[in-house]
Amino acid sequence: LGDVVAVVIKPDGSVSKGPIAVEGLPAGFEFFPHGLAALGKIEENPYVLAVNHRSTTDSLEIFKLQSLGDEGSYKLVYQQSFSHRMLYNVNDCAFLTDDRVYCTNWRSQPTGSFLGVVEVYGRMPWNNVIHCSLKRNKCWIVAEGIRMANGIEVSKDGNNVYVVASLDKSINVYERNDENGQKLKQIETIRTQSLCDNLVWDGDDLLTGCHPKAFTFIYYSKDPINRIAPSEVMRIPTVRLQNKHLSTKKARTLYLDPVGDEFSACSVAAITRNKESYLWIGSVYGKGILRCPMDPTRIEPFTEDMRSWPGISRSNMASLNKAADILVTAYNRIVSFIKSKFK
């Protein structure tokens, strides 16, 4: 079990941090956390969910965050573990209620396998969103056909679900419809032009951390200590209309490091507003958090050529996708032929 750390941001923008005690864990508990979700305000002992990649399966670990009285002093109290066959490669989750959660499966094939390579480099729409009842131990698929389902958030009124489709360079907006078999209805697509990661609410808008150059990020991820990769933080403004649908304005870049010299491969961002306003940025592999004053001069446009995948034009990418489809079809036919011969 690794350390769990609380980072407390004070009104003056200063930061204190320290380990959080974790109570009530079962014997032999494995903890390899990934995505995080929370339900409730900090002063109300909120639920905290952590995606856990155990050695045998993925699970959702549910905790209660409790204050110990001193400023910035907390403990996590273990509540339950939840696993299900539909939660096979979980990236992120979002609470709807204390019983219901939405989660994304971001890969359908084992990492390093032939089909795993086809899935990523061929940008295959093989991923989904799962809706689970923690108390009833039931899960069901509510959205499919997503190219690398990543970060996920639920609107404050519970009417809409936002899902990052990283390989589509977009965010899918869904409408919840409990009368339609719990399926989500996609009502909008927000283009980002970057491969985005996690989502965080900032008032009525969403913040997302993004990777502007996909291949550069992949190269960086092989040796993050010695390499760098670009970072981008975007704001997604949303507007509630009278017909209860959401309209979105154009995504806006709040922070851009086109090379990665200052901060590499950002994956999440949040804003605090006290005496001073700050943008806080986290990274996939970084060992720290970047604090940026909310200065309008940091907002930079990002040109299309800077976002493009090096060496791959749009026509070549279309050809690559077609080739990937052919390879997958051939693979499936070979597998079916072999199975028919050994029945």
Side-chain angles (χ1 to χ4, degrees):
L1 178 67
D3 290 335
V4 181
V5 177
V7 178
V8 179
I9 302 168
K10 299 178 181 180
D12 62 359
S14 62
V15 175
S16 64
K17 66 177 182 178
I20 298 180
V22 183
E23 296 182 355
L25 293 177
F29 185 79
E30 291 184 303
F31 196 44
F32 303 99
H34 188 176
L36 288 173
L39 179 69
K41 297 180 180 179
I42 190 71
E43 63 270 15
E44 298 174 348
N45 297 331
Y47 285 99
V48 176
L49 180 153
V51 174
N52 188 10
H53 299 299
R54 300 188 185 192
S55 58
T56 55
T57 186
D58 280 2
S59 63
L60 312 181
E61 312 299 344
I62 313 299
F63 302 89
K64 272 276 196 176
L65 182 66
Q66 296 182 0
S67 172
L68 297 178
D70 299 331
E71 183 182 19
S73 182
Y74 299 93
K75 68 177 180 180
L76 283 171
V77 181
Y78 174 82
Q79 304 293 304
Q80 72 172 105
S81 296
F82 182 91
S83 59
H84 193 278
R85 60 181 178 81
M86 290 187 179
L87 299 174
Y88 49 82
N89 207 336
V90 186
N91 185 287
D92 194 20
C93 296
F95 279 104
L96 178 63
T97 67
D98 60 355
D99 171 46
R100 298 294 184 92
V101 295
Y102 288 98
C103 297
T104 56
N105 283 311
W106 74 295
R107 299 282 293 274
S108 68
Q109 305 297 321
T111 301
S113 67
F114 168 73
L115 283 181
V117 173
V118 171
E119 181 174 25
V120 174
Y121 290 93
R123 301 171 60 246
M124 308 308 294
W126 294 347
N127 309 135
N128 55 28
V129 177
I130 307 297
H131 189 182
C132 295
S133 170
L134 303 177
K135 296 176 182 178
R136 295 166 56 199
N137 196 33
K138 292 184 65 177
C139 293
W140 52 95
I141 297 173
V142 292
E144 300 178 272
I146 304 170
R147 290 181 171 89
M148 191 172 283
N150 203 318
I152 186 169
E153 276 292 353
V154 177
S155 62
K156 295 175 184 178
D157 59 11
N159 289 330
N160 297 95
V161 178
Y162 294 79
V163 179
V164 173
S166 295
L167 295 182
D168 255 345
K169 299 184 180 180
S170 67
I171 299 172
N172 296 341
V173 185
Y174 298 91
E175 184 179 56
R176 293 186 60 249
N177 185 357
D178 290 335
E179 298 178 358
N180 188 26
Q182 303 291 344
K183 288 285 186 178
L184 297 175
K185 177 184 177 183
Q186 187 170 348
I187 59 174
E188 193 164 359
T189 300
I190 305 167
R191 298 299 175 187
T192 60
Q193 299 188 61
S194 282
L195 279 76
C196 295
D197 204 318
N198 294 291
L199 295 172
V200 174
W201 283 107
D202 180 46
D204 291 329
D205 298 341
L206 284 165
L207 300 179
T208 181
C210 306
H211 310 295
K213 293 184 177 181
F215 283 170
T216 304
F217 170 72
I218 293 173
Y219 177 74
Y220 157 83
S221 68
K222 306 300 182 184
D223 186 10
I225 295 177
N226 299 307
R227 297 171 182 171
I228 59 177
S231 290
E232 184 178 17
V233 174
M234 305 185 79
R235 179 194 296 281
I236 314 297
T238 63
V239 180
R240 170 76 49 190
L241 301 180
Q242 290 184 353
N243 63 3
K244 296 185 179 181
H245 284 186
L246 282 170
S247 175
T248 53
K249 299 178 182 178
K250 188 176 181 179
R252 179 185 181 191
T253 298
L254 293 184
Y255 172 87
L256 173 64
D257 183 348
V259 178
D261 286 325
E262 182 177 50
F263 198 74
S264 282
C266 77
S267 60
V268 66
I271 292 175
T272 57
R273 294 176 176 85
N274 295 301
K275 293 181 180 179
E276 302 287 342
S277 295
Y278 292 96
L279 173 65
W280 305 83
I281 305 174
S283 173
V284 178
Y285 296 102
K287 297 182 179 180
I289 299 173
L290 181 66
R291 184 185 73 173
C292 302
M294 289 297 291
D295 181 351
T297 61
R298 298 188 70 93
I299 299 173
E300 304 174 50
F302 204 170
T303 61
E304 180 65 27
D305 63 326
M306 293 172 68
R307 286 194 175 97
S308 62
W309 289 21
I312 299 185
S313 65
R314 292 181 184 272
S315 60
N316 287 340
M317 179 56 71
S319 299
L320 179 60
N321 291 340
K322 185 175 181 180
D325 287 335
I326 294 172
L327 285 172
V328 172
T329 300
Y331 175 85
N332 289 335
R333 288 178 177 175
I334 292 171
V335 170
S336 298
F337 175 78
I338 293 173
K339 287 182 178 180
S340 66
K341 291 297 181 181
F342 289 93
K343 280 185 176 179

